Amino acid sequence: MLKTDGLATTFAALRAILEPQAKRLTVTVDEPGHFELASPTMTDRIGRPLFCAAVKINKSSVSYHFMPLYGNMALRNSLSPALRKRLQGKVCFNFITVEPGQLKELAAVTKKGIAGFKNLKLPWA
């Protein structure tokens, strides 16, 4: 199996976590290898829909960006050591393959984080 086939499988599994959230959020990018969600009501400082989450195939991994982790220390601290090991920086997880337990945990974290995201207080709003 080619590495890109494995990344496509990983992308599909991670995208499946975000897709149900598209009911509450706005899909801003929906292309092969890149899926992105933003707030339907909040905007960034220059008026674009406020970025929330994305999954994207990169050269050697699949990244799962999840902004609700940035301002929610309790949510970030609740991550298991296995998932925390995948965290690059504050809000980006990188995967080549993803374990079923990590998928389940990431889905729960995503659901909890998006529930809190809608109550976000923006300093420029």
Side-chain angles (χ1 to χ4, degrees):
M1 179 163 59
L2 295 172
K3 189 172 194 171
T4 55
D5 292 342
L7 294 181
T9 302
T10 300
F11 172 81
L14 294 172
R15 180 187 167 121
I17 293 172
L18 288 183
E19 279 181 330
Q21 304 304 325
K23 295 174 198 151
R24 289 182 240 162
L25 300 169
T26 300
V27 176
T28 53
V29 178
D30 188 358
E31 302 169 351
H34 189 186
F35 184 73
E36 195 170 296
L37 299 172
S39 170
T41 57
M42 296 182 282
T43 58
D44 66 13
R45 292 177 191 214
I46 60 172
R48 297 174 299 198
L50 187 65
F51 175 81
C52 180
V55 60
K56 185 176 182 182
I57 296 178
N58 301 308
K59 190 174 182 176
S60 60
S61 66
V62 178
S63 57
Y64 187 93
H65 299 272
F66 191 61
M67 284 305 291
L69 278 180
Y70 188 79
N72 190 336
M73 286 302 292
L75 188 60
R76 193 169 344 143
N77 289 339
S78 75
L79 298 175
S80 70
L83 198 55
R84 186 179 302 273
K85 192 169 128 177
R86 301 287 190 168
L87 192 59
Q88 302 294 309
K90 295 181 180 180
V91 299
C92 180
F93 298 91
N94 286 326
F95 298 93
I96 295 172
T97 59
V98 61
E99 303 296 322
Q102 292 172 333
L103 280 174
K104 186 176 179 182
E105 180 183 358
L106 196 54
V109 166
T110 298
K111 188 174 181 181
K112 196 180 287 186
I114 288 176
F117 185 73
K118 62 184 174 189
N119 300 322
L120 190 62
K121 302 290 184 246
L122 301 172
W124 59 86

